[in-house]
Amino acid sequence: MSNKPSFPEDLSCPICRDVFRDPVVLTCSHSYCRWWSGKQVLECPVCKKRSSWSDMTSNLVLKKLCEAILERKAKGDADRKVVCRLHAEKLKLFCVDHQEPLCLVCLHSDAHAGHNVKPIEEVARKHREQLRDLLKPLKEKLKNLEDVKEHLRQTAEHIQFQAQQTEKFLREQFKELQAFIQKEEETRIKALREEEKKKSLAMKVKIESLSKDIAALSETVRETEAALGGEEAVFLQNFRSAVTRVQQILIDQAKHLGNLTFKVWKKMKTMASFTPVILDPNSANPELSLSQNLTAVTCGPRQNLPDNPERFSCFRIILGSKGFSSGTCSWDVEIPENTDWFVGVASESVHRKGTHPSCLWRIGCTNGEYVARSLTDPSTVLPNVWKLNRIRVHLDWERGKLVFFDLDASTHIHTFSHRFTETLFPYFNTVSARPLRIISDPNDPYVVCRV
């Protein structure tokens, strides 16, 4: 028997004891895996001969030979997986009764006599189809879950964006109020200082004048005391000239402090505005854009917004943020140069996704005509209505009345009568880049919501 080591052992690294991977050879002719990168001085673990880094070269012949051995080994492992473990024959059949693959020798054995045996390709094909059918709903469910996750991620991003924009606007608004308060404080303190300066100067003049009067009076006192000792007739003649009066001047504190907070608040009203209706950005169609104070809406390019349940997906609609289920409410809408719009009210159950919205009562302009529409009824052309610029919407929920007025002409436009049973929200629809804007007159007592 030969003492020559087996072929695989000759191809194993003396360090890692495995088949060479990227072998290198030293000047001593020994080869090893490239495992000592970074060392400046190399020492052969077998013969202990020292070599420098420049002496080490790749052993390409040994590398290719080892790669071929590894490839053959991998192929052999794969072949062993698909052969019969009893007869070492390729598995070409499948026993339906035992649910296991067979080779041709197994087919004729007693263990499978009389069994239902089919070609392995046919059974594998059917099982693959069955597995695909089982996998299909799982893939669909996985896709749905991924879509929901993406929707939630986009919604979370939009919430952060809304919070940032709202915080920015709040800071700007309070910065303006703080600037106003500070200016008002400085103005009133300045007025107080001016009055103090003016009256202090007056007091200084008065004190100087009074000092002269005191000096004169002292002289008079002396003369009077002298007169007291004189005859009665002389005393009575000098009595009137001995009497003097002094008048003082003080700061008018009541003018500066009286009703101070009320006076400042009254002045602040000139820089503040109130609108009875605020638009709800969460209900806005993605093609609608809102003003920063949420009182004006325009139509433009579609935005990437989350498809939350409140949002209208098809029609360019937005609702007010507050609904009404009792009492009365009025709001004014400005429509400058907008020729395609609707305003009115929508019920809480209005359709928002995919289908034509119902449960609406509104008037508007479309195709050059002013029309009125309610629920699913056809449009009614509004007679004797010319160019509208400002409209008042008046809702009397309990009496079931929705009335529209032309503010510029002070005329009635249209009235809807209906027995309302749901909460109603202010409704706006536009496909124009010209804004629909909610306005109010702080001096108009009718632009008030009473619920």
Side-chain angles (χ1 to χ4, degrees):
M1 181 178 295
S2 175
N3 295 328
K4 184 178 181 180
S6 63
F7 187 72
E9 186 177 347
D10 289 342
L11 297 178
S12 61
C13 173
I15 305 299
C16 62
R17 302 299 180 183
D18 199 357
V19 178
F20 283 108
R21 287 176 173 80
D22 192 13
V24 292
V25 61
L26 301 178
T27 54
C28 62
S29 300
H30 292 125
S31 293
Y32 309 95
C33 291
R34 191 189 297 269
W35 60 277
W36 40 41
S37 298
K39 294 184 178 181
Q40 297 296 325
V41 178
L42 308 178
E43 181 179 300
C44 177
V46 177
C47 66
K48 305 301 181 182
K49 183 178 180 180
R50 297 170 67 86
S51 302
S52 64
W53 180 262
S54 59
D55 295 332
M56 185 177 66
T57 58
S58 297
N59 193 335
L60 298 180
V61 176
L62 183 59
K63 179 181 179 181
K64 291 182 179 180
L65 181 59
C66 290
E67 288 176 351
I69 293 296
L70 291 173
E71 183 178 354
R72 189 187 310 164
K73 182 175 180 295
K75 185 177 180 181
D77 292 342
D79 290 340
R80 282 193 294 273
K81 291 179 182 179
V82 295
V83 298
C84 178
R85 59 185 180 84
L86 296 177
H87 308 108
E89 295 289 335
K90 190 172 182 180
L91 300 172
K92 296 182 177 182
L93 303 173
F94 187 82
C95 178
V96 178
D97 297 324
H98 285 173
Q99 289 291 303
E100 64 177 4
L102 307 176
C103 69
L104 293 176
V105 179
C106 293
L107 176 63
H108 301 289
S109 66
D110 294 337
H112 299 281
H115 287 183
N116 184 10
V117 178
K118 295 183 178 181
I120 196 169
E121 293 85 358
E122 178 183 338
V123 177
R125 182 174 64 254
K126 290 182 178 181
H127 279 63
R128 283 194 178 95
E129 292 174 356
Q130 182 182 3
L131 190 58
R132 288 193 186 99
D133 292 340
L134 294 173
L135 194 59
K136 185 176 180 180
L138 294 179
K139 287 184 176 180
E140 292 177 354
K141 185 176 181 180
L142 178 61
K143 184 179 183 304
N144 291 335
L145 291 176
E146 290 175 346
D147 292 342
V148 171
K149 180 181 178 181
E150 177 63 18
H151 172 71
L152 294 177
R153 186 191 64 78
Q154 293 178 359
T155 302
E157 290 181 354
H158 186 66
I159 289 172
Q160 292 180 350
F161 174 76
Q162 282 184 311
Q164 292 170 358
Q165 293 296 101
T166 304
E167 180 180 348
K168 179 182 177 183
F169 183 64
L170 284 173
R171 291 187 182 279
E172 291 174 353
Q173 291 292 297
F174 278 99
K175 187 176 181 180
E176 290 180 7
L177 290 174
Q178 290 166 359
F180 172 83
I181 293 293
Q182 183 177 359
K183 184 177 179 181
E184 188 66 17
E185 177 187 0
E186 293 172 353
T187 300
R188 292 183 177 274
I189 291 178
K190 182 180 179 182
L192 175 63
R193 294 283 183 253
E194 289 177 353
E195 183 177 353
E196 176 194 15
K197 182 179 179 181
K198 180 180 178 180
K199 293 191 173 181
S200 295
L201 180 60
M203 287 302 300
K204 181 179 179 182
V205 173
K206 195 69 177 178
I207 290 172
E208 291 176 353
S209 176
L210 190 60
S211 297
K212 294 178 181 179
D213 291 342
I214 290 173
L217 184 58
S218 298
E219 182 63 26
T220 301
V221 168
R222 287 192 297 271
E223 292 176 355
T224 301
E225 289 177 344
L228 288 174
E231 296 181 357
E232 286 77 1
V234 176
F235 170 72
L236 292 175
Q237 288 177 351
N238 297 328
F239 174 74
R240 291 183 179 275
S241 62
V243 178
T244 184
R245 294 179 180 177
V246 178
Q247 187 178 22
Q248 294 182 349
I249 303 175
L250 299 178
I251 291 292
D252 188 359
Q253 289 182 290
K255 180 183 72 174
H256 294 285
L257 300 180
N259 294 321
L260 175 62
T261 55
F262 174 79
K263 292 176 182 177
V264 175
W265 170 79
K266 187 176 181 180
K267 194 171 181 180
M268 285 180 65
K269 288 175 64 178
T270 60
M271 64 175 294
S273 63
F274 171 78
T275 52
V277 172
I278 299 297
L279 299 175
D280 179 13
N282 293 333
S283 69
N285 179 276
E287 294 183 35
L288 298 181
S289 298
L290 306 183
S291 62
Q292 194 173 39
N293 61 357
L294 305 181
T295 60
V297 58
T298 58
C299 186
R302 188 175 185 85
Q303 305 168 85
N304 185 19
L305 299 176
D307 188 21
N308 48 293
E310 305 91 340
R311 194 175 306 283
F312 287 87
S313 59
C314 291
F315 293 85
R316 286 81 169 182
I317 296 174
I318 184 172
L319 302 183
S321 61
K322 179 183 178 182
F324 306 100
S325 57
S326 63
T328 62
C329 187
S330 296
W331 60 93
D332 295 345
V333 184
E334 187 178 46
I335 316 160
E337 305 299 328
N338 192 327
T339 58
D340 203 331
W341 54 268
F342 279 92
V343 297
V345 297
S347 68
E348 191 170 20
S349 61
V350 63
H351 294 159
R352 304 178 187 230
K353 306 293 182 184
T355 58
H356 196 286
S358 59
C359 300
L360 301 174
W361 294 264
R362 70 276 196 203
I363 68 168
C365 180
T366 180
N367 298 325
E369 289 184 323
Y370 291 104
V371 298
R373 294 178 182 173
S374 65
L375 301 175
T376 58
D377 297 338
S379 299
T380 301
V381 177
L382 297 173
N384 303 321
V385 177
W386 306 104
K387 182 176 176 59
L388 295 175
N389 185 56
R390 293 188 306 148
I391 297 174
R392 172 161 297 166
V393 185
H394 180 77
L395 171 65
D396 189 335
W397 193 94
E398 292 167 350
R399 294 179 58 193
K401 298 288 184 181
L402 180 66
V403 189
F404 298 86
F405 298 95
D406 182 349
L407 286 179
D408 296 319
S410 299
T411 57
H412 169 263
I413 300 175
H414 189 75
T415 297
F416 290 108
S417 297
H418 185 82
R419 185 176 177 274
F420 300 121
T421 58
E422 292 187 69
T423 301
L424 300 178
F425 292 83
Y427 159 91
F428 306 87
N429 184 331
T430 181
V431 295
S432 172
R434 298 285 185 175
L436 290 181
R437 180 177 291 107
I438 304 168
I439 58 174
S440 66
D441 183 355
N443 298 318
D444 192 336
Y446 293 102
V447 188
V448 177
C449 290
R450 298 186 297 276
V451 295

